[in-house]
Amino acid sequence: MSVIEFEPVNRQSTAEMIADRLRDAIMHGSLLPGAQLVEADLAAQFDVSRGPVREAMQRLVSEGLLRSIRHRGIFVIELTPEDVVDVYRARTAIEGGALELILDGRRDIAYQALEPSVTEMLACAERGDAAGVSAADQAFHEALVDSAASTRLTRAARTLLIETRMCLGALQSAYPDLRDQAREHIDLREAIGNGPADHARTLLIDHMHDAVERLRPLQQPDAEPDVS
């Protein structure tokens, strides 16, 4: 009988805990795009040995949130305009898949699940809280995917939503009136809950496309405006 050697549980737990904290820091902008992560410094901050920190960073490298540059170190990714388009293209596929499952018998569940984020987004928009709108925007799309009750779609959406969160700071300035951003989500929720299925599908696709179009000029500040 062969013996399987497992890593100690506490080491795995520590590495996962550090990975979770690094993800949160990237998502919320505490670790900015392009920031370098130094293994020794992080180990000192977390008060752990360097092994779990190294493992946590490698997890995030494999997830695409960090990148390793030979002879230079590990850095938070910087999203190019092409990356943004690709992220939203992938999100359209994943959230579109979630929407199909929702439309097939889970409309009421999704409608209820989306209510808190929509309410919070509108309240934040009314008081001009752009950061609050972004957080509620994130929560809306997390709830949308979770409402499909597909563990694989939820898992696939996880990294994409973190990458999206990195864009949302810029998206805040793309809406002259934050209430427009809130209304898009209100309309999408109503369509998911009560509207024709094709209308819900169209609104989701249009919502993703609109975000890309709003972000594109913000990521190309030196480009000439497209007036065609």
Side-chain angles (χ1 to χ4, degrees):
M1 178 177 172
S2 61
V3 177
I4 302 175
E5 294 184 3
F6 292 103
E7 294 179 345
V9 173
N10 63 335
R11 182 171 181 272
Q12 289 181 318
S13 298
T14 300
E16 184 57 40
M17 177 195 71
I18 294 170
D20 286 342
R21 292 190 182 182
L22 292 176
R23 285 190 202 95
D24 287 343
I26 293 169
M27 179 187 296
H28 295 105
S30 302
L31 283 173
L32 296 174
Q36 183 173 10
L37 277 65
V38 179
E39 187 180 292
D41 292 347
L42 288 174
Q45 290 181 49
F46 286 118
D47 193 23
V48 298
S49 65
R50 294 172 64 164
V53 172
R54 186 181 307 117
E55 181 179 335
M57 289 196 296
Q58 287 304 319
R59 291 186 187 194
L60 269 61
V61 169
S62 68
E63 292 175 12
L65 296 177
L66 300 178
R67 61 185 182 124
S68 179
I69 302 178
R70 188 177 177 84
H71 302 310
R72 288 188 56 196
I74 294 179
F75 301 81
V76 179
I77 61 166
E78 297 179 89
L79 297 177
T80 66
E82 291 76 18
D83 290 329
V84 172
V85 171
D86 198 42
V87 165
Y88 276 90
R89 183 185 296 118
R91 279 189 57 195
T92 301
I94 291 171
E95 294 188 35
L99 179 60
E100 291 305 316
L101 293 175
I102 289 168
L103 294 174
D104 186 22
R106 301 185 64 83
R107 283 185 161 210
D108 289 344
I109 293 171
Y111 190 75
Q112 294 300 320
L114 295 171
E115 192 276 334
S117 56
V118 165
T119 300
E120 178 66 12
M121 193 181 305
L122 187 57
C124 290
E126 291 290 348
R127 62 176 181 263
D129 179 3
V133 170
S134 292
D137 187 323
Q138 181 88 359
F140 179 97
H141 290 279
E142 289 176 354
L144 173 62
V145 176
D146 288 346
S147 294
S150 167
T151 55
R152 288 169 179 80
L153 285 177
T154 297
R155 186 164 59 240
R158 184 182 188 188
T159 297
L160 289 170
L161 286 172
I162 294 174
E163 290 180 318
T164 302
R165 188 68 178 84
M166 297 170 68
C167 304
L168 289 179
L171 195 58
Q172 293 170 13
S173 61
Y175 283 90
D177 187 341
L178 290 172
R179 288 171 294 188
D180 292 339
Q181 188 174 354
R183 290 189 195 101
E184 286 184 15
H185 292 81
I186 292 170
D187 291 345
L188 180 55
R189 176 180 178 245
E190 291 300 322
I192 289 171
N194 308 295
D198 284 345
H199 183 53
R201 295 184 185 104
T202 298
L203 283 184
L204 179 62
I205 293 171
D206 288 350
H207 176 63
M208 296 295 183
H209 178 74
D210 180 67
V212 171
E213 292 305 306
R214 289 177 185 272
L215 285 166
R216 198 188 303 272
L218 298 179
Q219 294 205 326
Q220 296 175 312
D222 298 327
E224 291 296 325
D226 183 3
V227 294
S228 59

